[in-house]
Amino acid sequence: MELTPVTDLPEIRPGDDIATLVADRADLEAGDVLTVASTVVSKAEGRMADLEDYPVSGRAEEIANRLEGITGEEKDPRFAQAVLEESTELLIDAPFLLTETRFGHINVNAGIDRSNVPDHDILLLPKKPTESAERIRSGLEACGIEDIAVIVTDTCGRPFRHGQRGVALGWAGMSASRDWRGELDRDGHELGVTVQSVVDELASAANLVTGEGAGGTPAVVVRDWAFGDHAGSDELFRAVEDDLVRQALREWSFDD
Amino acid sequence: MELTPVTDLPEIRPGDDIATLVADRADLEAGDVLTVASTVVSKAEGRMADLEDYPVSGRAEEIANRLEGITGEEKDPRFAQAVLEESTELLIDAPFLLTETRFGHINVNAGIDRSNVPDHDILLLPKKPTESAERIRSGLEACGIEDIAVIVTDTCGRPFRHGQRGVALGWAGMSASRDWRGELDRDGHELGVTVQSVVDELASAANLVTGEGAGGTPAVVVRDWAFGDHAGSDELFRAVEDDLVRQALREWSFDD
């Protein structure tokens, strides 16, 4: 398996066609996986916003005040309002905001980015990252490049382990997971691993070579990796009934 | 970045020298990262066990009975006892066991494996995976192969997202994370990503090419990846005071 960053992509602007920009610069072959960072997908989709776009609700005011009290840092209630508007559930409301976005991803501040946003205050995640991935895949087909799986990636933290790692937000042309259930090990025992989240693993692998900051590149080509002969699943985001941690968080609140 | 599985490794037995077995089969160069699945590290370290080795405590009996009642499946209290003995904290005791192992890793059933264990009932995780990684690294040096970073890997599930993915349990010859704090983006803003867990990302990348089951290979060579000029951190496992989810789980219990 080989990972190659796509270099020399320009700063992406609203309306830019990511598929064409990548097709012009990357060596892509049938069977490759292309990962694209959600930041550039969001920029192409015009998901920049300004804090003045968010008239503050009572709830956002309350959240920002409480976070100011806990952290001793200034908190803009308009930012809290933006987080609320991007979310369907607030899992943790202090000492930081952990929410479920409208497409099911759980992240701090609904994944809203305050760095890397020229001319605007904030960058929202793509509205429907799987549709974004499908558009890029179709765009590549329109350039004559067939059979490329596309993953829209992000980085985020997680419980139990420090640090952030690459994750998938949306995907097209492949399943999210390999389902090993029913497959056997060398000795004929059923395997311990049941479902392998390959889109997340590909996003993590890609994040190793993209880099962040001034030298960063948002797209990576993965070659010589195959999904293989396994059943597939497209369930990636856990619903609350499948997630004891979400259930525990519903009953818990931070003690200021 | 290129990932190549190490093929033709024999079934690993207690006392086997993984470094030599890999050195004989893999093309390794200074600067490469070698990932090794914890299953083979455990086997080399003799971490197989039998359920009869675990005289059952009252707590294990209680746990197994409760899990039987909830799941309707037979539960061996000796297995619950093994999980307790490998753990320092039981984070979830129903409807399954989520624990912190003695080296800080949080996993279902303390990561004890019931498949892939010839001649024994169960396979425990390595006792100190970072020491295991250091031993493999030193072993490679003894074979004349210098400057190889080694990661002992596992696969496990996680909250919020379905499916398992590769993670690091121990590492040697590199830091666990790149620390980007203070570094700037193209526009001179401080980066949103702060600490990148590269050992976990490398473990995830490797898991894409190892495969499971009969055709699986437990070791992978990563070439042309560099940690780069960043500060490093070796904190991977969150302590409870840095982990709101662990705090929430302490206050929560499953409602049978």
Side-chain angles (χ1 to χ4, degrees):
Chain A
M1 181 172 84
E2 195 169 0
L3 288 92
T4 311
V6 179
T7 49
D8 297 323
L9 281 167
E11 178 75 38
I12 304 293
R13 295 175 193 286
D16 278 352
D17 179 352
I18 290 177
T20 307
L21 291 168
V22 169
D24 286 348
R25 287 161 182 80
D27 160 41
L28 279 164
E29 287 175 10
D32 287 349
V33 180
L34 173 71
T35 70
V36 184
S38 60
T39 44
V40 298
V41 174
S42 288
K43 285 176 185 173
E45 294 177 359
R47 296 277 287 159
M48 293 83 81
D50 291 306
L51 291 174
E52 66 186 27
D53 305 337
Y54 293 93
V56 171
S57 64
R59 181 82 179 100
E61 191 81 58
E62 194 180 285
I63 287 170
N65 281 340
R66 184 171 176 213
L67 293 182
E68 276 197 1
I70 293 168
T71 64
E73 293 163 17
E74 209 179 316
K75 296 289 174 185
D76 193 321
R78 298 171 303 174
F79 184 76
Q81 182 66 34
V83 172
L84 290 176
E85 293 188 17
E86 287 299 303
S87 305
T88 52
E89 186 179 341
L90 198 50
L91 282 79
I92 294 179
D93 60 0
F96 56 81
L97 303 179
L98 183 76
T99 80
E100 179 180 10
T101 65
R102 296 188 176 278
F103 59 91
H105 174 50
I106 289 171
N107 200 353
V108 172
N109 292 335
I112 299 175
D113 195 353
R114 308 180 81 163
S115 69
N116 257 316
V117 203
D119 308 326
H120 290 277
D121 296 333
I122 59 176
L123 185 66
L124 312 175
L125 289 180
K127 229 174 197 155
K128 296 181 174 173
T130 285
E131 290 183 11
S132 307
E134 282 162 359
R135 269 197 301 277
I136 295 170
R137 180 171 149 87
S138 308
L140 291 170
E141 282 171 2
C143 297
I145 307 173
E146 307 268 337
D147 192 21
I148 306 293
V150 176
I151 302 175
V152 174
T153 65
D154 194 14
T155 54
C156 70
R158 60 267 168 93
F160 307 150
R161 302 173 83 83
H162 283 291
Q164 306 205 347
R165 85 300 191 203
V167 293
L169 300 185
W171 54 95
M174 66 180 297
S175 293
S177 303
R178 282 174 176 159
D179 189 342
W180 297 84
R181 277 173 292 190
E183 299 191 36
L184 304 179
D185 69 15
R186 292 182 185 198
D187 301 302
H189 296 118
E190 204 157 310
L191 289 169
V193 169
T194 51
V195 174
Q196 179 190 5
S197 176
V198 290
V199 285
D200 276 349
E201 292 184 326
L202 287 161
S204 285
N207 199 43
L208 287 162
V209 300
T210 51
E212 297 275 338
T217 169
V220 175
V221 176
V222 184
R223 179 153 303 162
D224 288 333
W225 177 78
F227 189 86
D229 186 21
H230 305 283
S233 157
D234 274 328
E235 274 187 70
L236 183 61
F237 306 115
R238 286 183 189 268
V240 66
E241 52 272 25
D242 297 324
D243 193 338
L244 299 183
V245 164
R246 290 188 63 172
Q247 292 169 32
L249 287 173
R250 279 198 176 170
E251 292 178 21
W252 176 83
S253 62
F254 180 74
D255 195 8
D256 298 28
Chain B
M1 181 172 85
E2 195 169 1
L3 287 92
T4 311
V6 180
T7 50
D8 297 324
L9 281 168
E11 178 74 38
I12 304 293
R13 295 176 192 287
D16 278 352
D17 179 351
I18 290 176
T20 308
L21 291 169
V22 169
D24 286 348
R25 286 161 181 81
D27 160 40
L28 279 164
E29 286 175 10
D32 287 349
V33 180
L34 173 71
T35 70
V36 184
S38 60
T39 43
V40 299
V41 173
S42 288
K43 285 175 184 173
E45 294 177 0
R47 296 277 287 159
M48 294 83 81
D50 291 306
L51 290 174
E52 66 185 27
D53 305 337
Y54 293 93
V56 171
S57 63
R59 181 82 180 101
E61 192 80 59
E62 195 180 284
I63 287 170
N65 281 340
R66 184 172 176 212
L67 293 182
E68 277 197 1
I70 293 168
T71 64
E73 294 163 17
E74 210 179 316
K75 296 289 174 184
D76 193 322
R78 298 171 303 173
F79 183 76
Q81 183 65 33
V83 172
L84 290 175
E85 292 188 18
E86 287 299 304
S87 305
T88 51
E89 186 179 341
L90 198 50
L91 282 79
I92 294 179
D93 60 0
F96 56 81
L97 303 179
L98 184 75
T99 80
E100 179 179 9
T101 66
R102 296 188 177 279
F103 60 91
H105 174 51
I106 289 171
N107 200 353
V108 171
N109 293 335
I112 299 176
D113 195 353
R114 308 180 82 163
S115 68
N116 257 315
V117 204
D119 308 326
H120 291 277
D121 296 333
I122 58 175
L123 184 66
L124 312 175
L125 289 180
K127 229 174 197 153
K128 296 181 175 174
T130 285
E131 290 183 11
S132 307
E134 282 162 0
R135 270 197 300 277
I136 295 170
R137 180 171 148 87
S138 307
L140 291 170
E141 282 170 1
C143 298
I145 307 173
E146 307 268 337
D147 192 21
I148 306 293
V150 176
I151 302 175
V152 174
T153 65
D154 193 14
T155 55
C156 70
R158 61 267 168 92
F160 307 150
R161 302 173 83 84
H162 283 291
Q164 306 204 348
R165 86 299 192 204
V167 294
L169 300 185
W171 54 95
M174 67 180 296
S175 293
S177 303
R178 282 173 177 159
D179 189 341
W180 297 84
R181 277 173 291 190
E183 299 191 35
L184 304 179
D185 69 15
R186 292 182 186 199
D187 301 301
H189 296 118
E190 204 157 309
L191 289 170
V193 169
T194 51
V195 174
Q196 179 190 4
S197 176
V198 290
V199 285
D200 276 349
E201 292 184 326
L202 287 161
S204 285
N207 199 44
L208 287 162
V209 300
T210 51
E212 298 275 337
T217 169
V220 175
V221 176
V222 183
R223 180 152 303 162
D224 288 333
W225 178 78
F227 189 86
D229 186 21
H230 305 283
S233 158
D234 274 329
E235 275 187 70
L236 183 61
F237 306 115
R238 286 182 189 269
V240 66
E241 52 273 24
D242 296 325
D243 193 339
L244 298 183
V245 164
R246 290 188 63 171
Q247 293 169 31
L249 287 173
R250 280 197 175 170
E251 292 178 21
W252 177 83
S253 62
F254 180 74
D255 195 8
D256 298 28

